Structures are given as structure tokens and as C-alpha cells.
Amino acid sequence: MDAVDGTEHYEKTSSEPPASLLTIVLDTNPHAWALLQPTLTLSQAVANLLVFINAHLAFNNANKVAVIASHLQRAEFLYPSPHSSLALPSKDAPQTLHDPDTEISDGLLSVPKPRLKLNGPRGPAPTNGSAPSLPRSNTAHPTDDANIYRPFHQVSTALFSSLAHLLATTTANSISSTPTTALAGALTLALTYINKQTVLLTPTSSTTGATTSSLNASPSLTSRILVLSVSAASPTQYIPFMNTIFAAQRLQIPIDVLSLSGSSSFLQQAADATNGTYISLDSRQGSSSTGPPPAHGLLPTLLLAYLPDATSRTHLISPTQASVDFRAACFCHRKVVDIGFVCSICLSIFCEPPDGAVCLTCGTHLRLGDYGARPAVVMRRKKKKDRGRREGTGTPAPR
């Protein structure tokens, strides 16, 4: 009986696809959305984004999503909401801020749009000789509605609440003083959130054999980042932006970019380095026949190009870029240069040698050699003349 060991454990393999974590970075630059207002408003973009999020969550019950706002001077989570009072409203609190029917326009909240309810208006119906109806409670929790799928309602409620809080706390001084957003900070938050979720879902065991098998097994979570950009990244964020690109490349996390306005060289490099998808859906294409306006082409582009995760893309042909702009921005004049001077310590780029040959970022003395010095003029050597051939004393030509 001692030879019988009933404690042998077998490794359980699951045939289910791994869960997918989609982290969306939403550019909420007020300046850029004001320019896009004739063709695409922020409310329309958020509505299309919610449809895309619902489609991602509907693929697998274990799929996760996170939305981060790249705002002026800061980056903030929209979902999961950092404000517990906004994400989980009380039953007795008014729901004007948490109503998904609230319209966001021009950075402000407007009056909720009236919509027809399938179950009739809220509250008890008047009795005018018809059949009595059941009383309806006005203090019902918003997540208790049986007509709405709970994960969809939780995401939409938290997203609208956090976005309304973000826009309400934005001052006029911050809008006038900062024309760009903290895109590098938003990507850093996305990577930290992905790392946290990966650690939480990684199986661990006290035994060495189980730990080794879990490391060699297939990943339990596939992650990717989607950047919905409406403005270019600032050249001052070049170093932290490139650090996030290298970190995502090391972790094998693709960065997908959907540009709604213009084309950013930094985002092109991010998508190319991490094997992501970059598509520019410029609003100026709406007046030509080359592409649809963003108001009509945003949702189809999201569903067709960005809905498949990293596992599904191995069986598909993803859109690729025709050309990638690998130019970098100089740190002295904020210009995109083709050829420049690079500091060997901090990798800062300058379009011309700085004053005193000192790096403006780290203070390192740069050795420029003989750059800028006037080249030495060397006198051209005169050739000797052949007098014999000129006098006719050379070898005669055969006749």
C-alpha cells in the first residue's frame, strides 16, 4: 500500500481562448475636438466607442476593458473609475450625472435627450379606468435593470460619469496654457494596469514544478492598447514616449493607433515597433472621394480593423502602413529633423550644435571635433608638360 501514491497531480489544460484585455487611450484635447466639431463631436465618438467596447466584451465573458483619458496636463482613468462615488452611485442619489442618455457636447453636459422607454415612463402610471399597473420604484439601482446587460451598463455608466467629472474639473486656464495632452503618461498608466491585471491572473503555486509549468504554459491574458488620437504628441514628451514604446515592445503588447486628425510620427513609430495597426482617418477626407467622414467611418473602422485581438490576428491580414515617418523632433526648436546631433548620454536630439557644445538636457559637454571649422585649402599640383610629343620626337604611328 505504501507504493500506491494517490497524490499525483495532473496538469489541467483548458481549451478555452485566453481572456483579452483592451486598454483604450482616449485623447480628450479640447482644442482638437473643437476643430473636429463640424464633422465629429466628442459625444458621437464616445457613443461609437461604447459600441466597440460592448462588442469586445460580448466575444468572451472573461474579456476586460479599461479606458484612460489623455487630458491636459494629466492622464486619468475613466473606467474603472477612480471615483468610487461616481462608479457606484447610491440608490437614493440623483442619477443626472450617471444617466447614459446624457449628451456630451463641446466639453459640457447638456440636458438629457428624451427617449421612449419600452416599459413606459418612470413612476406609477395614472389609473383612468384601465387595468391597474404595478407600482414602480424610483429608487432602483441602475444596475438592476433587467433590460440592459449588466457589464454594458456598468461600463457606460462609469465612462459617462468619469468623463463628466473630468470635463467639469477642467479650468479655462489649463485649456489656454496647455495645447497638448499627456499622451506619454496615459500610455504609462495603460502599461501599469496591464501589468497589474497580468500578475493577478497568473497562476502561482508553492511548488517549483508547478511554477515552472505555469511559466511555460500559454498566457492567461492577452493585452493590447488602442490609442484614439485627435492631436499630435508634444516633442517634449519624446523620451518618456519612446520609453513606453520600448516597454510595450519588450512585453509584446501591440499599440494600435486610430488617428482622427492629422498624422503623428511618434504614433506611427509606436505602431510599427510593437506590431500594431495604424490608420489615419482624417476629417479632411470627408470632402473628397478617397474616404468617408469620421462620423460615418469611425465605427466600421473600429469593428473591422481593431476588434480582433492578438490571438485572432495570427489568422488574419491586418492593415499595414504604406510608409512610416521615423523622423525625430529636436529638443531645442521643437522641429522634426532628418539629420541632427545626438547626445551620447541622454540621446537628446538637436537640429544644430547647442551653445557652448553643452547638452541642454543633461549638461554633458559634447565633442564636436572639427565641425564648423573652415577647411584647409590645398594647392593643386601642376602637371608636367610632355615636350617630346609636342615637338614631334615621339614614336611614329604605323602606316
Side-chain angles (χ1 to χ4, degrees), residues 31-319:
H31 301 277
W33 284 110
L35 297 176
L36 286 176
Q37 184 179 1
T39 56
L40 181 65
T41 60
L42 181 58
S43 60
Q44 294 175 350
V46 172
N48 294 334
L49 192 62
L50 283 175
V51 177
F52 172 71
I53 292 175
N54 294 343
H56 169 74
L57 296 177
F59 262 106
N60 191 351
N61 190 28
N63 285 357
K64 299 178 179 295
V65 68
V67 183
I68 302 174
S70 176
H71 203 56
L72 302 175
Q73 299 179 348
R74 70 182 187 273
E76 186 174 333
F77 272 97
L78 298 181
Y79 180 83
S81 176
H83 310 284
S84 59
S85 59
L86 297 177
L88 297 175
S90 61
K91 295 183 179 181
D92 299 333
Q95 301 179 10
T96 56
L97 187 61
H98 313 284
D99 193 357
D101 298 338
T102 305
E103 183 181 5
I104 301 179
S105 177
D106 301 335
L108 299 175
L109 289 177
S110 60
V111 181
K113 297 182 293 184
R115 293 186 179 181
L116 180 63
K117 302 297 181 180
L118 296 178
N119 294 336
R122 297 180 180 177
T127 57
N128 50 1
S130 58
S133 59
L134 296 177
R136 299 173 61 91
S137 176
N138 294 332
T139 60
H141 198 270
T143 58
D144 295 338
D145 193 352
N147 297 326
I148 303 177
Y149 185 47
R150 178 170 292 183
F152 296 171
H153 188 76
Q154 288 178 350
V155 173
S156 61
T157 301
L159 182 60
F160 275 99
S161 303
S162 302
L163 187 57
H165 180 268
L166 178 66
L167 298 177
T169 54
T170 303
T171 60
N173 295 331
S174 61
I175 296 177
S176 59
S177 61
T178 308
T180 58
T181 59
L183 183 58
L187 290 176
T188 304
L189 283 180
L191 291 176
T192 54
Y193 183 78
I194 290 174
N195 185 36
K196 179 180 179 181
Q197 294 298 322
T198 304
V199 171
L200 292 177
L201 295 179
T202 301
T204 57
S205 179
S206 59
T207 60
T208 307
T211 305
T212 306
S213 62
S214 63
L215 292 176
N216 297 331
S218 59
S220 58
L221 182 66
T222 58
S223 306
R224 56 195 172 106
I225 300 175
L226 173 61
V227 180
L228 190 62
S229 173
V230 294
S231 60
S234 175
T236 57
Q237 305 179 19
Y238 180 75
I239 291 182
F241 192 85
M242 296 304 296
N243 290 337
T244 56
I245 293 177
F246 296 148
Q249 186 181 20
R250 179 67 181 272
L251 298 175
Q252 298 181 357
I253 299 176
I255 300 179
D256 301 329
V257 180
L258 178 57
S259 179
L260 299 179
S261 177
S263 180
S264 176
S265 59
F266 297 164
L267 294 178
Q268 289 184 17
Q269 298 175 23
D272 180 76
T274 59
N275 296 327
T277 302
Y278 180 89
I279 296 178
S280 179
L281 192 63
D282 199 343
S283 60
R284 291 170 292 183
Q285 296 178 357
S287 58
S288 61
S289 58
T290 58
H296 301 87
L298 177 58
L299 183 57
T301 304
L302 288 173
L303 295 178
L304 296 178
Y306 299 102
L307 188 57
D309 56 356
T311 306
S312 303
R313 291 181 185 181
T314 57
H315 308 283
L316 301 174
I317 300 178
S318 302

